[in-house]
Amino acid sequence: MLDLTARELLKLFRTRSLSPVEYARHLVAHIARWEPALGALYLYDPDRLLSEAAQSEARWMAGTPAGMLDGVPVTVKELIATRGDPIPQGSAASPLVPAPADAPIAARLKEAGAIIFAKTTVPDFGMLSSGLSTFHRLARNPWNLACNPGGSSAGASAAAAAGYGPLHVGTDIGGSVRLPAAWCGLVGFKPSLGRIPVDPYYIGRCAGPMTRTVDDAALMMPVLALPDARDATSLPPEAIDWDGYYRGMRLRGLRIGLQLEPGCGLPLDAEIRAAVTAAAERLAELGAEIVPVPPVMTQDMLSGLDDYWTARSWAELRKLPEDRMDKVLPFIRDWASRGKNIDGVRAVDGLGQTFAMRRACAALFESVDAVLSPTTPVVSFPAEFPGPTNDPDRSFDHIVYTVPWNMSEQPAVSINCGFSSDGMPIGLQIVTPRFADLDALRLASVCETARGPITSWPAPPAA
């Protein structure tokens, strides 16, 4: 039952073959078996889940569902505000102040009848590709509990892979939806900047679905993409037929760039290279023209980005009283404190490298219709690490495949394309032109169909 997609759940609710309460009871029992080992959830409230499921069941029985997701359990990332709940940002240094209102994503999900039964854990200040936090329990990867789920949407990826319901939402400013999706075998969709309104908004900051299937990611988009005036970067409302991804994509004549080299940062693992190459070959067999393309990232871009973010992070951390500064994760404190030595000119130059990324991405798309690449350069890393390098001087070395598409504002989706020799998922990233969000899902669907379904998701540890 817990492997059902959201669309399958809704069909069963509609035909009264399964009730929201029956499903919620199974989910509560399942989470009880998993969560002590996984550490994916914050503010988990099983009683509220069961109560709201009962209300949804009554609506379905009366033939008056509240919206297109009525009764479907959903999680949202801790950084997404829900009214009355504090937002610790994964750090023991944060004051626990209740949020005055739902952020756009939470508001839209509730309006659609979805049951937000928990929030998902993040690392300190959302600044790590890791499940390591001074506020939350350590989040682990369901495929191997000794491994990291990635981040900063760490709990969301762990929850989705472990079957905590079909629908989860993360946020992404440099890969925080796609990276953990890759490490946990999921679909992680970062749409065009502004497609899903967020609050607060920032350079490159997006939100997106984290699901087991492309179908469920597409199902969420009509809800998440509804307008909200609080996001001044949001796109004008557009009537997109998100279910249109079902019609697939004509591959013959499509020119797809295969980007294997990272350009800088960590070298690409051989098993990832082989899996991504095999995925590209499957598309070539279906009619696409696959052409090798160079990396868009350079060391100057990566170093400049690191300069800017360390300076920005130090500007925030230095405001903390000493007793709260002592509670910040040492890795974050060490990394951000480098910002003390970055002057204004160097920080501005670092910010300028985001525009260099954007120019490089635009130039690449003059010759191709889409790009395939690895999502991550490494297969896995230890659960206790703050990131793949475990080095504050190289904390961005793993985001070279993902971060440029945040800066260029283009849609990008990670989808599983195989497994390593030790059984860990491998992510394929698909990038399409700015605003071509539906094409990203269509191409992901083609890859998903060619790959075949994942039939053996992780099971809870034995009691």
Side-chain angles (χ1 to χ4, degrees), residues 298-319:
T298 66
Q299 188 59 53
D300 284 346
M301 292 176 187
L302 192 63
S303 298
L305 188 72
D306 187 62
D307 284 347
Y308 171 71
W309 275 100
T310 50
R312 182 183 184 275
S313 296
W314 181 248
E316 294 298 320
L317 287 185
R318 67 184 177 86
K319 301 173 187 175

Side-chain angles (χ1 to χ4, degrees), residues 127-147:
M127 284 303 299
L128 299 174
S129 288
S130 172
L132 185 62
S133 163
T134 56
F135 182 86
H136 303 296
R137 290 174 48 232
L138 177 66
R140 296 178 179 272
N141 193 317
W143 293 94
N144 182 341
L145 293 173
C147 293

Side-chain angles (χ1 to χ4, degrees), residues 1-27 53 56-61 70-73 166:
M1 179 185 296
L2 294 172
D3 287 337
L4 291 168
T5 68
R7 202 179 296 269
E8 289 168 341
L9 271 182
L10 289 164
K11 181 179 179 180
L12 293 173
F13 293 167
R14 189 176 301 111
T15 59
R16 302 180 186 176
S17 303
L18 176 69
S19 81
V21 172
E22 289 174 309
Y23 181 78
R25 285 175 179 157
H26 280 275
L27 183 57
S56 173
E57 180 178 288
R59 292 191 294 268
W60 281 109
M61 292 298 289
D70 198 346
V72 180

Side-chain angles (χ1 to χ4, degrees), residues 267-414:
L268 180 62
D269 181 275
E271 288 189 292
I272 298 176
R273 182 185 294 272
V276 170
T277 300
E281 290 171 351
R282 288 195 290 269
L283 294 183
E285 292 169 0
L286 293 171
E289 179 187 1
I290 305 296
V291 294
V293 296
V296 292
M297 288 292 288
T298 66
Q299 188 59 53
D300 284 346
M301 292 176 187
L302 192 63
S303 298
L305 188 72
D306 187 62
D307 284 347
Y308 171 71
W309 275 100
T310 50
R312 182 183 184 275
S313 296
W314 181 248
E316 294 298 320
L317 287 185
R318 67 184 177 86
K319 301 173 187 175
L320 294 176
E322 185 176 350
D323 62 327
R324 285 172 54 198
M325 178 69 89
D326 289 342
K327 296 178 180 179
V328 175
L329 188 76
F331 184 95
I332 289 289
R333 197 167 59 238
D334 293 346
W335 169 74
S337 64
R338 294 162 54 225
K340 291 186 287 188
N341 301 317
I342 297 174
D343 61 22
V345 171
R346 184 173 159 192
V348 170
D349 285 346
L351 179 61
Q353 289 297 332
T354 66
F355 296 98
M357 292 179 214
R358 185 172 186 140
R359 285 191 294 271
C361 293
L364 177 58
F365 266 80
E366 289 180 3
S367 61
V368 295
D369 302 304
V371 168
L372 299 182
S373 79
T375 310
T376 69
V378 297
V379 170
S380 64
F381 60 101
E384 296 80 9
F385 277 19
T389 65
N390 196 27
D391 181 353
D393 291 330
R394 302 185 63 196
S395 62
F396 284 3
D397 277 21
H398 61 286
I399 67 172
V400 291
Y401 290 110
T402 52
V403 71
W405 313 114
N406 293 78
M407 300 305 111
S408 68
E409 304 182 8
Q410 291 175 236
V413 57
S414 180

Side-chain angles (χ1 to χ4, degrees), residues 155-174:
S157 58
Y164 288 17
L167 304 180
H168 308 268
V169 183
T171 61
D172 188 318
I173 201 168

Side-chain angles (χ1 to χ4, degrees), residues 246-270:
Y246 272 128
R247 291 192 288 275
M249 193 170 191
R250 180 180 174 83
L251 295 186
R252 192 159 302 282
L254 199 68
R255 187 175 170 86
I256 299 177
L258 178 60
Q259 184 185 78
L260 292 174
E261 300 309 321
C264 55
L266 292 173
L268 180 62
D269 181 275

